[in-house]
Amino acid sequence: MLIQIEVNSEKPIYMQVHDQVIEGIARGELYAGYSLPSIRQLAADFGINLHTVNKAYDLLEREGYIVLRRKTGAVVQLTPSLPPDWDTRQRTVLAEALAKNIDPDEIIRRSRHILDQFIAQRQHYQSNAEME
């Protein structure tokens, strides 16, 4: 998986790592049992603090996307449940759009478009995995 860090972004680096891992899972690029780089390795690869990667991995584990094991490191796990704050985060995103006077049909159209992209990418990764 390719993670891209934008050091000049307003989004904290740990959230960039967090969000990109989740998007990798959504695309099907990261699957149950997939081993992520170790905390040390990812920190070294990007020249970022170990605590930054640890914070991202800890959050991913608390949300149920990965498990952290001493010997195997961070491993993707897929649980069929949403994080506890999912409705709150979704509510905020929808409120932001409505506060900007975005038409509700446009919000739904854009949401569907993004969801369809993830589904198409997941199908691509699954069909490639079946061919191997």
Side-chain angles (χ1 to χ4, degrees):
M1 176 189 177
L2 180 63
I3 293 178
Q4 297 177 331
I5 302 296
E6 295 179 29
V7 292
N8 296 324
S9 172
E10 290 185 18
K11 183 185 279 191
I13 292 173
Y14 83 94
M15 283 305 297
Q16 292 180 47
V17 172
H18 169 271
D19 293 354
Q20 289 182 46
V21 168
I22 292 172
E23 288 189 22
I25 294 169
R27 286 191 304 268
E29 183 180 358
L30 306 179
Y31 46 85
Y34 184 94
S35 293
L36 294 170
S38 71
I39 291 170
R40 284 187 199 281
Q41 185 63 53
L42 194 58
D45 288 350
F46 290 105
I48 57 178
N49 192 296
L50 284 167
H51 297 294
T52 301
V53 178
N54 190 52
K55 188 173 184 177
Y57 278 15
D58 182 58
L59 182 56
L60 287 162
E61 183 176 44
R62 283 187 280 128
E63 292 174 342
Y65 295 106
I66 66 172
V67 289
L68 295 172
R69 299 182 184 135
R70 246 176 230 258
K71 297 191 181 209
T72 56
V75 178
V76 173
Q77 82 172 3
L78 303 180
T79 56
S81 63
L82 293 169
D85 67 337
W86 192 85
D87 284 338
T88 302
R89 291 184 302 154
Q90 182 72 10
R91 185 179 187 87
T92 301
V93 168
L94 293 173
E96 288 173 0
L98 287 173
K100 294 285 189 174
N101 290 323
I102 307 298
D103 182 71
D105 290 335
E106 178 66 9
I107 296 167
I108 292 168
R109 186 192 68 73
R110 287 179 180 216
S111 297
R112 182 78 239 178
H113 177 73
I114 292 168
L115 186 59
D116 288 345
Q117 286 178 324
F118 281 125
I119 291 168
Q121 290 167 336
R122 178 179 281 184
Q123 290 170 342
H124 171 76
Y125 280 107
Q126 287 173 342
S127 66
N128 285 346
E130 290 170 4
M131 286 191 244
E132 292 177 354

